[in-house]
């Protein structure tokens, strides 16, 4: 039983007992519609009146509909039209937006002004004998308590209907099952209360348990620290960016002192809480001296930040959940913190993985989306499991660790999965230059949209900012990651990246930003006079003819023009033939732009005779010192074992074997639908010829000693970035010695089952070495093993070796490439 004389609410210097709080709620309730089906919207910034109006709805047994105070007229009109509320509690500040929204939605509803009642005297108001949150104590109360509109990270929000039973499952788990919320701990009201996480964690749970709340006037550092001190706050809920800002600020001060750095390193190594609290006691004191738990929700907290906060003596509890689960799915228990881990599931919640996706079922699961039964069925399956859209793994005890989000993860054409948030965190560590960053896919490259620090960028043009970011951020970052995680282009963005109020990046809006900013940048480049010295013009024309795109002086070889390995070899050879000097393939990315490369060539040249790349001469160069991989019995045995699997599991059919030459060199050019395409291409080849076929793979596919050894014994020629010319010459050696090559002209797997434009490497080899091309059409492999799938499906697969294409002297590389692509596409359409 709550002591009604105990302090329930602190806001600035104002302190209020539970008795006074209940009187305020009762006063608001006299204006609030009554009844279980009535809906009341709360549209206000965080303040005392927010709590009064919210609990007045529950006291009247109605349904509360909290709305983001920063919403636009259109946003509010959408929600009003969707839920058709009986009344709206609104602050005076937000009233004009509400009035416009009501007109736009063309609805009628009562408007109740919070300001008119918030400070009204309650001396004669009797204390209610019914607690407004009493329904949370009732067993299995399925009445709808809330309709929370989702944050809109993926488009139009949906109204999530949460029952008292859903809320009870959450509150009781973090109060009785695990005593985080008690009558001794006050919670800080900081994040916007229209979100279910702060609503439950910083308002409902602490008041229900008798601990009380302290409302911070704003998100500014001084206001937060003052409220923590005044309120003797024990629980603070924040989002990752808040904790990141706090930690980075403290860590910078520590790094300024040699002694402090040594102590931090000691505490980080020992990992003993009492020592950390003793050494960094000043940190906890500055946060009011009563903080027991720093709760992080809304998104995953970076491991470094979590570990760092614990090193400072702060207990970090990470929670994972969704609006649809009111909100907790899992949370870390005190004393059981594992960096990067979301903890154990909520008691009573059943979790399972379906193709790597986390699915959950339990008493916390929503009733459904308001007026959207079809969309409810899309996320809750027939067995009652919610499909979260999050990828996860379990450890042996049952801890949940998230590995990505199915809708956010970037899948590159080489099959690599990229979690953009991981890269964004690393880029934002360059905080001298970077205010915030977002990583998006631009064709088949990663692009960083970077908001620069205003003070750092104040005196520079956008081109200068871009050049500096490439040098001071991208280059150092790219040196520390695998090739597929490298950022290949950067876009300077002035403004704030689109985020929800809980700081989640609205990724669905980034594509439009990328397109708009790229268009603006291209217009700016077109207005800047281009260099007119001959070396630049020759390089520009050559690159444009090779890549089929517009080249500007400020473009970077890699991060803007995306020259691949073959392009760089062509450019290297062109420079040697035209200017009589050499620029290594690995040196090219070191030049800030095409103009700088051209000026370097101008100073080093010994001649200037424009020539095309002589691929014939290059591919007929000396190859005696080059060593090829070999294939043993195991290689052939495994290929036949996989063939049996495909025949039995995928009903594999093979056609057109007669089109494969009985002897002599040739190039097999299959379309690329899945990871199984290599073994599928081998499936129709005779056993005694398997050792004659060589594959071509990038370094990313054979990282590590084990994979390199396996490649060396499996006829895989590795494209070595440090020596691309030798890699091409190895392919030439294979064909010149009468062996055969399997090369995927698309370069990587398809995104949607359709072919993507073929690259011409195979056509150059075929024409200059006079070997036929056998197009290979693979059908059904995309359906059997699409991107993102870990398990093969029992879908029918067909492999067809198409009629040979013999190169002639009259044909261009492009014509050979097009003929091969058309042959495969025609077969795919049948």
């Amino acid at each position: 039983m709550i002591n009604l004389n105990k302090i329930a609410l602190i806001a600035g210097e104002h302190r209020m007992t539970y008795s006074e709080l209940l009187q305020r709620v009762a006063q608001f309730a006299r204006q609030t519609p009554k009844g279980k089906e009535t809906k009341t919207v709360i549209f206000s910034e965080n303040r005392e009146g927010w709590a009064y109006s919210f609990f007045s709805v529950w006291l009247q047994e109605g349904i509360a509909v909290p709305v983001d105070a920063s919403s636009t007229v259109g946003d509010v009109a959408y929600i009003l039209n969707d839920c058709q509320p009986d009344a709206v509690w609104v602050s005076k500040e937000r009233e004009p937006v509400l009035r416009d929204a009501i007109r736009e939605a063309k609805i009628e509803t009562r408007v109740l002004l919070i300001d008119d009642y918030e400070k009204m005297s309650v001396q004669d108001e009797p204390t209610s004998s019914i607690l407004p949150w009493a329904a949370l104590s009732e067993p299995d109360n399925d009445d709808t308590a809330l309709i929370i509109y989702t944050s809109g990270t993926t488009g139009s929000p949906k109204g999530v209907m949460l029952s008292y039973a859903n809320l009870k499952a959450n509150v009781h788990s973090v109060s009785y099952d695990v005593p985080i919320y008690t009558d001794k701990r006050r919670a800080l009201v900081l994040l916007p209360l229209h979100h279910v996480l702060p609503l439950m964690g910083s308002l409902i749970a602490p008041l229900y348990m008798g601990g009380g709340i302290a409302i911070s006037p704003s998100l500014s550092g001084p206001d937060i620290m003052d409220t923590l001190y005044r309120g003797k706050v024990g629980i603070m809920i924040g989002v990752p960016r808040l904790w990141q800002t706090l930690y980075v600020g403290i860590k910078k001060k520590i790094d300024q002192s040699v002694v402090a750095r040594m102590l931090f390193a000691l505490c980080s190594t020992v990992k003993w809480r009492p020592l950390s609290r003793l050494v960094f006691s000043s940190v906890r004191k500055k946060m009011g001296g009563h903080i027991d738990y720093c709760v992080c929700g809304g998104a995953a907290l970076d491991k470094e930040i979590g570990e760092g906060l614990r090193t400072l003596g702060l207990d970090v509890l990470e929670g994972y959940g969704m609006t649809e689960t009111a909100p907790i799915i899992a949370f870390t228990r005190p004393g059981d913190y594992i960096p990067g881990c979301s903890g154990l599931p909520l008691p009573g919640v059943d979790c399972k993985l379906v193709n790597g996706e986390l699915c959950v079922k339990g008493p916390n699961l929503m009733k459904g989306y308001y007026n959207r039964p079809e969309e409810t069925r899309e996320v809750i399956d027939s067995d009652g499991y919610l499909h979260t859209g999050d990828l996860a793994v379990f450890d042996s005890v049952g801890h949940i660790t998230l590995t990505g989000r199915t809708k956010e993860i970037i899948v590159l054409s080489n099959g690599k999965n990229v979690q953009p948030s991981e890269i964004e965190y690393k880029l934002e560590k360059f905080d001298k230059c970077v205010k915030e960053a977002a990583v998006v896919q631009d064709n088949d490259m990663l692009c960083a949209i970077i908001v620069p620090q205003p003070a750092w960028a104040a005196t520079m043009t956008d081109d200068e900012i871009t050049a500096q970011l490439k040098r001071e951020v991208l280059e150092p970052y790219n040196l520390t990651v695998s090739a597929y995680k490298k950022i290949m282009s950067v876009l300077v963005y002035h403004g704030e990246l689109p985020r929800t109020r809980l700081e989640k990046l609205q990724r669905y809006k980034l594509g439009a930003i990328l397109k708009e900013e790229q268009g603006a940048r291209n217009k700016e480049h077109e207005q800047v006079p281009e260099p007119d010295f001959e070396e630049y013009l020759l390089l520009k024309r050559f690159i444009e003819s090779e890549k089929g795109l517009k080249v500007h002086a400020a473009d970077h070889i890699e991060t803007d023009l995306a020259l691949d390995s073959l392009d760089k070899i062509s450019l290297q050879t062109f420079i040697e033939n035209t200017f009589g000097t050499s620029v290594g393939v690995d040196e090219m990315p070191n030049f800030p732009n095409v103009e700088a490369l051209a000026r370097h060539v101008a100073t080093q040249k010994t001649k200037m005779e424009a020539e095309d790349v002589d691929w014939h001469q290059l591919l007929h160069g000396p190859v005696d010192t080059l060593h090829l991989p070999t294939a043993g019995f195991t290689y052939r045995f495994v290929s036949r074992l996989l063939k049996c699997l495909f025949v039995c599991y995928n009903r594999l059919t093979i056609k057109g074997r007669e089109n494969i030459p009985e002897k002599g060199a040739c190039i097999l050019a299959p379309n690329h639908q899945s990871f199984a395409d290599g073994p599928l291409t081998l499936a129709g080849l005779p056993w005694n010829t398997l050792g004659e076929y060589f594959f071509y793979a990038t370094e990313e596919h054979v990282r590590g000693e084990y994979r390199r050894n396996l490649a060396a014994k499996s006829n895989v020629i590795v494209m070595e970035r440090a020596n691309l010319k030798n890699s091409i010459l190895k392919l030439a050696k294979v064909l010149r010695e009468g062996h055969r090559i399997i090369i995927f002209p698309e370069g990587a797997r398809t995104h949607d089952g359709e072919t993507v434009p073929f690259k011409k490497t195979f056509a150059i080899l075929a024409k200059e070495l006079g070997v036929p091309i056998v197009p290979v059409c693979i059908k059904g492999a995309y359906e059997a093993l699409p991107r993102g799938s870990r398990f093969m499906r029992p879908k029918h697969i067909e492999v067809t070796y198409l009629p040979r294409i013999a190169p002639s002297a009259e044909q261009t590389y492009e014509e050979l490439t097009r003929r091969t692509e058309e042959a495969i596409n025609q077969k795919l359409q049948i």
Side-chain angles (χ1 to χ4, degrees), residues 46 88 103 111 129 190 315 338 393 491 644 664 721 762 778:
N46 285 5
V88 179
R103 283 191 289 271
V111 176
S129 60
L190 179 65
D315 285 332
I338 303 172
V393 293
L491 196 66
C644 292
R721 296 187 185 278
F762 77 102
I778 300 175

Side-chain angles (χ1 to χ4, degrees), residues 803-819:
R804 282 168 261 174
I805 298 174
S808 64
E810 297 77 25
Q811 286 179 314
T812 65
Y813 306 140
E814 289 73 20
E815 287 172 339
L816 272 176
T817 303
R818 187 175 62 254
R819 283 187 62 190

Side-chain angles (χ1 to χ4, degrees), residues 334-354:
D336 187 32
Y337 178 76
I338 303 172
C341 174
S342 296
L344 293 168
L346 200 73
V349 172
D350 182 25
C351 298
K352 67 177 182 179
L353 297 178
V354 177

Side-chain angles (χ1 to χ4, degrees), residues 370-441:
Y370 182 70
N371 280 342
R372 298 194 184 191
E374 289 297 324
E375 294 189 39
T376 301
R377 284 191 286 271
E378 286 178 7
V379 297
I380 300 179
D381 62 27
S382 56
D383 293 326
Y385 282 89
L386 172 74
H387 289 248
T388 66
D390 288 305
L391 303 172
V393 293
F394 300 142
D395 67 8
S396 58
V397 180
H399 293 102
I400 297 173
T401 298
L402 301 182
T403 58
R405 182 149 181 83
T406 56
K407 292 182 180 179
E408 290 184 359
I409 205 161
I410 295 173
V411 183
L412 300 173
S413 62
N414 60 9
K416 297 294 185 180
N417 292 339
V418 177
Q419 186 56 247
S421 58
E422 172 193 341
I423 299 176
E424 288 156 2
Y425 170 70
K426 291 180 179 179
L427 295 178
E428 288 176 358
K429 290 178 74 173
F430 294 89
D431 57 354
K432 172 192 170 186
C433 313
V434 180
K435 182 181 178 184
E436 55 179 335
V439 174
V440 295
Q441 187 171 5

Side-chain angles (χ1 to χ4, degrees), residues 621-671:
V623 295
D624 293 341
T625 59
L626 300 177
H627 298 287
L628 299 178
T630 57
F633 174 81
T634 303
Y635 168 76
R636 295 191 290 272
F637 176 75
V638 170
S639 70
R640 280 298 175 263
L641 192 64
L642 289 172
K643 176 183 177 180
C644 292
L645 171 66
F646 296 142
V647 170
C648 298
Y649 187 70
N650 299 101
R651 308 185 308 282
L652 173 65
T653 55
I654 300 172
K655 300 178 181 179
R657 287 187 177 93
E658 66 278 6
N659 292 316
I660 303 170
E662 291 184 6
K663 59 182 180 179
C666 71
I667 297 174
L668 267 60
N671 58 310

Side-chain angles (χ1 to χ4, degrees), residues 149-164:
Y149 279 83
T150 53
S151 57
T153 58
T154 57
S156 297
K158 299 181 285 290
V160 177
M161 296 185 292
L162 299 174
S163 69
Y164 287 103

Side-chain angles (χ1 to χ4, degrees), residues 752-827:
D752 54 9
E754 303 294 327
T755 58
V756 298
F758 283 18
K759 298 181 180 180
K760 60 185 179 182
T761 307
F762 77 102
I764 293 172
L765 289 165
K767 179 177 178 178
E768 300 305 338
L769 297 173
V771 300
I773 300 166
V774 180
V776 183
C777 179
I778 300 175
K779 292 175 68 174
Y782 174 76
E783 290 74 18
L785 191 61
R787 283 174 173 270
S789 177
R790 297 185 180 184
F791 304 101
M792 202 152 190
R793 301 167 184 172
K795 302 288 186 179
H796 173 61
I797 298 177
E798 179 182 285
V799 176
T800 305
Y801 304 93
L802 300 172
R804 282 168 261 174
I805 298 174
S808 64
E810 297 77 25
Q811 286 179 314
T812 65
Y813 306 140
E814 289 73 20
E815 287 172 339
L816 272 176
T817 303
R818 187 175 62 254
R819 283 187 62 190
T820 306
E821 185 174 356
E822 287 175 351
I824 291 174
N825 280 328
Q826 286 176 5
K827 182 63 179 176

